[in-house]
Amino acid sequence: MKDSRPAEDGGAIRRRRICPDCSGRFTTFERVQLRDLMVVKKSGRRVPFERDKLARSIHTALRKRPVEEERVERMISGIVRQLESTGESDIPSEAIGRLVMEALRGFDDVAFVRFASVYRDFREARDFESIISELTAAPETQTEDRG
């Protein structure tokens, strides 16, 4: 190991390493996992929570958007911390979707609409009109149930 330091606001350890075989250098990130989380799908099926899958869905919504990767990583880490701090091991997929929607709402409007179109299974143009009107509504008039 070459170097070790905190990363992501202390939520991870960044380590610079050297391969003993080829002397190549690389970086690893080690995160503290408070508990093993299981995602409960709408069908009732339980699958292990995967941070990488969450990150992929957020990155897909943010594709070609002008956002800093560090801010995206902080948002993902924040969502994971919220899930871990619920005290529950089984997390409904809808709850994860709601947390992502809340995070994207204040992060990037286009990504918010993109994610909502998949999360809410949009089928018609009026579905987009509805989410855009929700997005542009004054904070006092926004509903708590977004999914």
Side-chain angles (χ1 to χ4, degrees):
M1 183 172 31
K2 176 101 172 119
D3 180 28
S4 177
R5 65 181 66 164
E8 297 177 13
D9 298 331
I13 301 293
R14 176 184 181 268
R15 298 194 194 280
R16 288 290 296 154
R17 299 181 182 270
I18 300 173
C19 176
D21 296 330
C22 70
S23 298
R25 294 177 184 224
F26 59 97
T27 301
T28 62
F29 288 88
E30 299 172 16
R31 290 182 181 83
V32 174
Q33 183 176 337
L34 298 177
R35 67 175 38 95
D36 287 330
L37 297 176
M38 296 297 286
V39 178
V40 181
K41 302 288 193 171
K42 289 179 184 177
S43 67
R45 191 169 56 101
R46 296 173 71 239
V47 296
F49 173 77
E50 296 178 45
R51 185 184 197 281
D52 290 342
K53 186 174 180 183
L54 172 68
R56 278 193 308 274
S57 67
I58 290 172
H59 282 288
T60 298
L62 288 166
R63 189 167 178 256
K64 295 187 178 183
R65 299 297 301 153
V67 295
E68 296 175 25
E69 183 59 33
E70 187 176 308
R71 285 187 64 213
V72 176
E73 282 302 314
R74 279 198 310 267
M75 176 178 53
I76 294 167
S77 293
I79 291 169
V80 172
R81 275 196 302 275
Q82 283 181 282
L83 294 171
E84 290 176 336
S85 67
T86 64
E88 299 293 324
S89 294
D90 289 353
I91 308 290
S93 59
E94 296 86 17
I96 297 170
R98 277 195 305 274
L99 287 175
V100 173
M101 292 269 293
E102 289 170 14
L104 287 174
R105 173 186 291 275
F107 195 79
D108 184 277
D109 291 349
V110 172
F112 173 78
V113 173
R114 285 176 178 168
F115 187 85
S117 71
V118 174
Y119 172 64
R120 293 188 179 174
D121 194 23
F122 286 5
R123 298 187 186 278
E124 302 175 357
R126 81 172 136 229
D127 295 333
F128 285 93
E129 293 170 0
S130 172
I131 197 72
I132 290 170
S133 67
E134 180 181 318
L135 185 62
T136 58
E140 305 81 46
T141 60
Q142 291 175 352
T143 61
E144 286 301 312
D145 181 30
R146 296 184 191 119

